[in-house]
Amino acid sequence: MKKFWHDPSIRASDITPETVYINRRKFLQLGAVALGSAALSACVDRPALVNPVPTELSPDPVYPEGVTDELGDALTGYKGITGYNNYYEFSLGKEEVARLAPRLQTSPWEVRVDGLVQNPKTYGIEDILARFPRQERIYRLRCVEGWSMVIPWMGFPLADLLKEAVPLADARYVKFTTLKRLEEMPGLINPAFPWPYTEGLRLDEAMHDLTLLSTGLYGKELPNQNGAPIRLVVPWKYGFKSSKSIVRIELVKEQPSTFWSSIAPQEYGFYSNVNPNKAHPRWSQETERRIGELKRRPTLMFNGYEKEVASLYTGMDLNTYY
Ligand code: MTE
């Protein structure tokens, strides 16, 4: 199997501490933000992005130069990853999420693992961080809307947690539930959506080594807008399968109903593997716009992870299982 994490000699702890680089970078920030905003607004079908993240709070992390994913694609800039977000519990406005999300209290935080498991357990986020060693994994994220990023996550395989829970013989799916806390998440007031945000995977998808529980990115703790303190990352599926701010992981027998599949099953099916040959009912999925780039690029089958995951779907008609 290909490696999806970069040189293990470069660890999160090797990255320059914030206090050192904040001063070094301060004078560059205004210019960088202006440039980043121009690039983003040029390559997404949105109004210009005006400094979405307070610069003092989120300088670009110093990261080893020339790091790419396993296909040679450059990392998306930190400001793109943390300033252009889908997180409907806060807002439908991608550039607004980063402004609203800091109000989320991510400590204390508990994740309940239960359902059809031998060892149900409620973990404090600090138990999770202490118990499961984190790796850096560089993955492409392809949103169903047609944009994409390359993100250096920190996290650990979901399988590590599930193995500790020991799924029972009749457990066939995993259901993920996101926090629903009205006082801190203004978007929850929107009655058009079936809160809380839920998602699901088949158990073998959940156990696949590429499926990550992430608690950080770019060598830093996960920003709230990206799903702090813990979120799922399933790189071969459209981004909406990767639930943020998870509070419950439940093993179940039947395929669970999910947030998006209950709203529009014909548009956002349970599987939702990235597939350039299967158009969304309202737009083509053949190409995507990488955030920070001007031209569209071809979308790859399973988002470029075909060798690793195609065998999970042997015998299934991928054009039917949207
Ligand atoms: N998780 C929750 N709880 N709420 C959301 O609105 N949006 C999804 C997914 N996870 C979403 C969510 C969608 S549509 C995408 S594309 C990704 O998060 C975006 O992740 P990012 O903002 O870290 O790029």
Side-chain angles (χ1 to χ4, degrees):
M1 186 184 273
K2 273 184 244 142
K3 287 236 181 279
F4 296 96
W5 46 98
H6 66 73
D7 182 352
S9 63
I10 302 160
R11 286 168 291 122
S13 55
D14 295 333
I15 291 165
T16 313
E18 255 178 88
T19 41
V20 178
Y21 68 73
I22 280 180
N23 285 335
R24 180 151 35 98
R25 292 227 148 181
K26 219 172 198 169
F27 75 99
L28 287 174
Q29 281 172 359
L30 270 180
V33 167
L35 208 71
S37 304
L40 277 167
S41 58
C43 71
V44 296
D45 306 319
R46 302 274 160 187
L49 177 64
V50 183
N51 193 11
V53 190
T55 52
E56 286 299 318
L57 297 179
S58 61
D60 275 336
V62 173
Y63 215 69
E65 264 186 37
V67 173
T68 65
D69 68 7
E70 85 289 0
L71 300 182
D73 291 358
L75 304 183
T76 301
Y78 186 72
K79 288 202 169 64
I81 295 171
T82 60
Y84 188 78
N85 300 99
N86 272 337
Y87 200 163
Y88 278 23
E89 287 86 336
F90 290 98
S91 170
L92 306 192
K94 296 186 202 317
E95 293 90 7
E96 205 186 17
V97 172
R99 189 174 62 73
L100 296 171
R103 67 179 70 174
L104 178 67
Q105 295 295 323
T106 57
S107 174
W109 192 276
E110 289 184 338
V111 180
R112 176 82 186 147
V113 182
D114 64 358
L116 301 172
V117 294
Q118 200 174 300
N119 304 318
K121 182 170 171 175
T122 301
Y123 292 85
I125 189 67
E126 56 296 330
D127 307 332
I128 291 180
L129 289 169
R131 197 164 181 81
F132 302 103
R134 292 196 286 186
Q135 310 166 358
E136 291 204 302
R137 298 259 185 124
I138 299 172
Y139 287 163
R140 293 169 292 287
L141 176 117
R142 168 60 157 86
C143 179
V144 72
E145 298 163 348
W147 53 265
S148 63
M149 301 189 186
V150 180
I151 305 180
W153 299 105
M154 296 197 300
F156 60 93
L158 170 63
D160 292 355
L161 184 83
L162 295 179
K163 281 180 202 153
E164 202 169 88
V166 186
L168 298 176
D170 49 353
R172 292 179 53 227
Y173 295 90
V174 186
K175 178 178 175 182
F176 305 88
T177 306
T178 292
L179 180 79
K180 179 184 169 187
R181 196 183 284 154
L182 198 55
E183 317 83 84
E184 295 166 20
M185 300 172 128
L188 291 175
I189 208 157
N190 190 335
F193 295 107
W195 311 109
Y197 194 99
T198 53
E199 256 308 333
L201 293 174
R202 227 171 48 195
L203 184 56
D204 57 347
E205 297 177 319
M207 294 296 284
H208 195 283
D209 181 61
L210 286 179
T211 305
L212 208 67
L213 278 175
S214 170
T215 56
L217 60 82
Y218 256 113
K220 293 165 63 114
E221 296 311 314
L222 204 56
N224 286 1
Q225 59 269 33
N226 293 94
I230 186 161
R231 59 100 43 96
L232 189 67
V233 186
V234 193
W236 71 94
K237 292 180 178 281
Y238 291 117
F240 69 85
K241 296 294 295 179
S242 295
S243 327
K244 296 177 168 181
S245 307
I246 292 171
V247 292
R248 186 171 181 201
I249 298 175
E250 187 187 0
L251 283 278
V252 296
K253 188 172 181 178
E254 308 296 339
Q255 181 176 305
S257 153
T258 66
F259 183 84
W260 282 112
S261 66
S262 68
I263 296 168
Q266 69 291 356
E267 300 199 359
Y268 311 108
F270 181 81
Y271 283 91
S272 283
N273 294 314
V274 176
N275 183 350
N277 309 314
K278 172 75 183 162
H280 182 278
R282 290 182 282 132
W283 58 85
S284 160
Q285 293 291 22
E286 282 171 22
T287 63
E288 65 200 52
R289 198 191 315 264
R290 183 73 42 91
I291 296 302
E293 293 180 0
L294 299 176
K295 276 171 60 182
R296 295 186 77 85
R297 53 168 67 214
T299 285
L300 304 176
M301 188 64 200
F302 292 111
N303 204 20
Y305 301 99
E306 184 165 13
K307 276 204 192 74
E308 289 74 24
V309 301
S311 62
L312 293 171
Y313 308 102
T314 309
M316 282 172 67
D317 178 353
L318 296 171
N319 291 329
T320 304
Y321 286 99
Y322 182 66

